[in-house]
Amino acid sequence: MTQAKPIMLHGKPLADGATPVLCTPLVGVDRGELLGEITSVLPTRPDLIEWRADYFAALADTDQVIDTARALKAACLGLPILFTRRMASEGGRSVSLSEPRVVQLYEAVCAARCVDLIDYELSNPGEAFERLRVASHSHDIAMVASYHNFQSTPAFEALLAKFREAQSRGADVGKVAVMPESPADVLTLLAATYQASTSLDIPLISMSMGGYGSVSRMIGGVFGSALTFAVGKSSSAPGQIAIDELRAVLATVRRSVGTA
């Protein structure tokens, strides 16, 4: 159906190579809430779980973070986990940790091997990014290099440059999420995704957010996006669709495009 390259984890394609894969976020503030979310989410059969750790109240306690990650790993019954501290300037919750301490936390999580992927923003300092690239690769953890713009959709060439930057900096996956001001902005995002997917070697994730952008979550795979986010219990970004509804739409798109 798609030009998307599969995301590789531990030498194997995520979800057996089917794209786009379905990822569901967890946004609980403590271990109990997170485990409750897992109980609700597992019956919806996502391919990947994202732990949005910027929502976690004890983020400054590395031991608690690692213990909670291990508990989630056990509760996920084999589903891989993406660990994300989304920075406030790119749509995340404000946290009390300085960026150097955030980097140390990521390094500890990688060393503990309690997750399968990490997400780190391209806008972070080069030294910090490189430290996490080395830490993740040293422990067989995939690194997603991401860019988020909650105000607007940059021009085609600027979006393409973000995908290229993710590859040039050694990430395993490049991610771009932007906010459209019109349907034309959604087309810009999809066009940039398609161009990048046909010219770069790494798998890509892209989405246009909000109401207009919700269509990109349904058809992004046709243009080269390897993953789409869906609501299991709670949303982590505007425009996310309930996972059961999105799965049905993706099945229809696959059938339709497959007969083209």
Side-chain angles (χ1 to χ4, degrees):
M1 146 183 171
T2 169
Q3 299 287 327
K5 298 174 179 67
I7 295 170
M8 302 297 292
L9 295 181
H10 315 303
K12 298 179 181 179
L14 177 58
D16 295 324
T19 57
V21 298
L22 284 166
C23 180
T24 297
L26 304 181
V27 295
V29 300
D30 57 35
R31 177 173 172 154
E33 281 194 11
L34 288 163
L35 292 175
E37 284 184 284
I38 284 290
T39 300
S40 299
V41 163
L42 282 181
T44 67
R45 298 178 293 113
D47 301 304
L48 176 68
I49 297 291
E50 180 185 37
W51 179 16
R52 279 290 302 274
D54 47 302
Y55 284 81
F56 190 59
L59 189 65
D61 188 330
T62 299
D63 289 340
Q64 274 204 59
V65 171
I66 290 174
D67 287 346
T68 300
R70 286 173 172 154
L72 290 175
K73 191 73 173 170
C76 280
L77 304 177
L79 281 179
I81 296 176
L82 165 63
F83 181 81
T84 301
R85 179 292 324 243
R86 179 65 60 239
M87 62 197 310
S89 62
E90 296 202 17
R93 292 285 186 95
S94 295
V95 299
S96 59
L97 291 178
S98 65
E99 198 58 33
R101 287 198 62 198
V102 168
V103 172
Q104 291 173 353
L105 174 64
Y106 266 106
E107 288 176 326
V109 167
C110 289
R113 299 194 181 193
C114 50
V115 301
D116 303 277
L117 308 92
I118 61 169
D119 178 304
Y120 198 58
E121 297 88 357
L122 285 165
S123 59
N124 281 299
E127 181 183 353
F129 188 95
E130 178 61 15
R131 279 178 59 178
L132 294 189
R133 188 195 67 80
V134 171
S136 59
H137 289 181
S138 296
H139 298 290
D140 193 27
I141 292 170
M143 184 181 194
V144 180
S146 61
Y147 166 76
H148 306 78
N149 187 324
F150 277 74
Q151 284 72 50
S152 63
T153 298
F156 173 89
E157 287 297 336
L159 294 176
L160 194 56
K162 291 298 181 184
F163 287 124
R164 288 171 174 160
E165 182 183 358
Q167 175 166 297
S168 68
R169 293 176 71 174
D172 301 290
V173 183
K175 178 190 175 190
V176 168
V178 293
M179 185 66 73
E181 298 178 81
S182 70
D185 284 341
V186 181
L187 294 177
T188 299
L189 181 278
L190 292 173
T193 303
Y194 181 78
Q195 178 63 34
S197 73
T198 58
S199 60
L200 299 179
D201 297 324
I202 62 172
L204 307 174
I205 301 168
S206 76
M207 66 215 65
S208 191
M209 296 181 283
Y212 287 134
S214 61
V215 68
S216 71
R217 301 179 185 275
M218 305 178 205
I219 64 170
V222 178
F223 296 86
S225 181
L227 180 151
T228 187
F229 290 85
V231 178
K233 184 176 182 183
S234 301
S235 171
S236 63
Q240 288 180 357
I241 303 166
I243 189 169
D244 288 337
E245 296 177 8
L246 186 54
R247 178 178 284 109
V249 171
L250 293 178
T252 300
V253 173
R254 286 191 183 99
R255 287 195 300 270
S256 300
V257 174
T259 60

